[in-house]
Amino acid sequence: MPKVTEEHKERRRQEILEGARRCFARHGYEGATVARLEEEIGLSRGAIFNYFESKEALFLAVAASLSYRMTEIWLEHGFRTLLDAIVAEDTDWLAVQLEAIRRIRTEPAFRAQAEALDEETAAGRPERMAKLREHGLREDMPIEVVATFLSLVANGLALRVTVGDQIPDLDLLAELVETGVSARGRGNP
Amino acid sequence: MPKVTEEHKERRRQEILEGARRCFARHGYEGATVARLEEEIGLSRGAIFNYFESKEALFLAVAASLSYRMTEIWLEHGFRTLLDAIVAEDTDWLAVQLEAIRRIRTEPAFRAQAEALDEETAAGRPERMAKLREHGLREDMPIEVVATFLSLVANGLALRVTVGDQIPDLDLLAELVETGVSARGRGNP
């Protein structure tokens, strides 16, 4: 029964990602040793690295999975809900992602894996842009610019949340962003 | 002649900050040992730590100095010029700042110093807000929300530049942001 096997594999993959996320968040990238990953995930290194070829690959897969989830929230529920999701995110995990950026920049093998993963996700971009168009955005700007703009606000918020800043007036902030990019402009209900 | 002494001290302080910035950018926070700091700055540890009480304090002072410079560019020359300045920033240094966030979060002494520095700079905030008001911003939102919004876009851009992303259409992006926050709204020259 290959279907059951696929389902089982996907469930196992998700378990590994979630355990790895907790482990990286708790111990940092460096501190998340293979022994600690085994302990937090509850599987042997053999089982873990059967699904992900290296610690780098595992880390990047956790990051990609969070990024995918956030994009889904944005497209399905709008920008205001995305801001809430960012503020509610595990800041320990966000901090580890930031810590890893320097490593991705300076270690060629790590960087190559990150770029390969980026190309994989690029395949889904046209579909996501089409979905974003349904949000009633201003049309005097290319949709890609509007998308970049919204993602910069989201990235900036994630960064500030990680540092420990309190961002007040999230409602007003979302209103400012949304009236700035909506087709209606502002003051036009 | 106390005035000369003050000028000399300030010049020396700036030299230390600039050398330290290069050293942190090149070797990472951890890798910037006291010996390497001495070498890059060209002064003995005694001289360096006469100006800054610790490596943490030195690092935070470099970060604060960059942040201050960026704010000045924004207020003096506008948001478009700030975006250019961010894109032109030394990405190695930006990456070290990100790397240090986790440390600031997890090391209480480091964190306390960061918070103390933050309170110092808070003193200049009302003046900066007054200056920002001169930029002709929309008045249906508190100026603090507009300021937070603009800083999130800037932070988001810095993060993406650090990761190595190319952000195309910086002109359109700036136009989108500026028409979104200007008192005139968009389409009204």
Side-chain angles (χ1 to χ4, degrees):
Chain A
M1 293 190 295
K3 187 153 183 296
V4 171
T5 309
E6 279 307 310
E7 267 172 27
H8 172 79
K9 274 172 72 175
E10 181 53 31
R11 211 163 45 232
R12 174 62 43 110
R13 196 172 172 279
Q14 290 302 327
E15 276 170 31
I16 295 172
L17 287 175
E18 181 49 29
R21 194 196 60 74
R22 285 196 308 271
C23 189
F24 286 123
R26 182 169 304 167
H27 301 290
Y29 184 84
E30 190 87 46
T33 57
V34 172
R36 280 176 173 154
L37 283 164
E38 285 182 311
E39 195 183 336
E40 192 78 58
I41 295 170
L43 292 171
S44 73
R45 61 194 69 195
I48 296 168
F49 294 116
N50 189 29
Y51 284 79
F52 299 94
E53 66 179 24
S54 62
K55 181 171 148 179
E56 287 94 333
L58 180 54
F59 179 83
L60 290 169
V62 178
S65 143
L66 175 71
S67 166
Y68 182 82
R69 190 159 53 78
M70 289 292 170
T71 305
E72 287 294 295
I73 289 173
W74 173 14
L75 294 176
E76 295 297 329
H77 305 285
F79 197 69
R80 179 68 188 89
T81 308
L82 172 65
L83 297 186
D84 279 335
I86 291 169
V87 170
E89 193 45 60
D90 176 357
T91 50
D92 286 336
W93 164 253
L94 292 177
V96 177
Q97 279 192 292
L98 296 184
E99 186 195 11
I101 287 175
R102 184 164 195 280
R103 191 177 298 265
I104 291 171
R105 286 168 44 81
T106 54
E107 294 176 16
F110 207 165
R111 190 185 185 101
Q113 286 194 54
E115 284 170 355
L117 199 61
D118 203 47
E119 272 185 36
E120 260 180 56
T121 55
R125 239 163 247 161
E127 199 192 327
R128 292 203 298 276
M129 288 296 162
K131 234 175 179 174
L132 188 58
R133 270 181 224 279
E134 295 166 13
H135 287 246
L137 301 171
R138 58 195 279 184
E139 290 174 359
D140 60 337
M141 289 279 168
I143 186 85
E144 290 77 12
V145 174
V146 179
T148 299
F149 162 73
L150 292 171
S151 73
L152 289 184
V153 178
N155 291 154
L157 180 64
L159 182 56
R160 296 279 285 271
V161 165
T162 314
V163 178
D165 286 357
Q166 299 288 330
I167 306 290
D169 304 319
L170 226 49
D171 283 326
L172 283 177
L173 186 72
E175 192 187 325
L176 193 156
V177 171
E178 285 170 343
T179 56
V181 297
S182 83
R184 292 194 314 272
R186 57 182 192 260
N188 307 313
Chain B
M1 293 191 292
K3 187 153 182 298
V4 172
T5 309
E6 279 307 310
E7 266 171 29
H8 172 80
K9 273 172 73 175
E10 181 52 30
R11 211 163 46 232
R12 174 64 40 112
R13 197 173 172 278
Q14 290 302 327
E15 276 169 31
I16 296 172
L17 287 176
E18 182 48 30
R21 193 195 61 73
R22 284 195 309 271
C23 189
F24 286 123
R26 183 168 304 168
H27 301 289
Y29 184 84
E30 191 85 44
T33 57
V34 173
R36 281 177 172 155
L37 283 165
E38 286 181 311
E39 195 183 336
E40 191 78 57
I41 295 169
L43 292 171
S44 72
R45 61 194 71 196
I48 296 168
F49 294 115
N50 188 30
Y51 284 79
F52 299 94
E53 67 179 23
S54 62
K55 179 171 150 178
E56 287 94 334
L58 179 54
F59 179 84
L60 291 170
V62 177
S65 143
L66 174 73
S67 166
Y68 182 81
R69 190 158 55 78
M70 288 290 169
T71 306
E72 287 294 295
I73 289 173
W74 173 15
L75 295 176
E76 295 298 330
H77 306 285
F79 197 69
R80 180 67 188 88
T81 309
L82 172 64
L83 297 187
D84 279 336
I86 291 169
V87 170
E89 193 45 60
D90 176 358
T91 50
D92 286 336
W93 163 253
L94 292 176
V96 178
Q97 279 192 291
L98 296 184
E99 187 194 11
I101 287 175
R102 184 164 195 280
R103 192 178 297 266
I104 291 171
R105 287 167 43 80
T106 53
E107 293 176 17
F110 207 165
R111 192 187 185 98
Q113 288 195 54
E115 283 170 356
L117 198 61
D118 202 46
E119 272 185 35
E120 261 179 55
T121 55
R125 239 161 249 162
E127 198 191 327
R128 293 203 297 276
M129 288 296 161
K131 234 175 180 175
L132 189 58
R133 269 180 225 280
E134 295 166 14
H135 288 247
L137 301 170
R138 59 195 277 184
E139 289 176 357
D140 60 338
M141 290 277 168
I143 186 85
E144 290 77 12
V145 173
V146 179
T148 298
F149 163 72
L150 291 171
S151 72
L152 289 185
V153 178
N155 292 154
L157 181 63
L159 182 56
R160 295 278 286 270
V161 166
T162 314
V163 178
D165 286 357
Q166 300 287 330
I167 305 290
D169 304 319
L170 226 49
D171 282 326
L172 282 176
L173 186 73
E175 191 188 326
L176 193 156
V177 171
E178 284 171 343
T179 55
V181 298
S182 83
R184 292 194 313 273
R186 60 182 190 259
N188 308 313

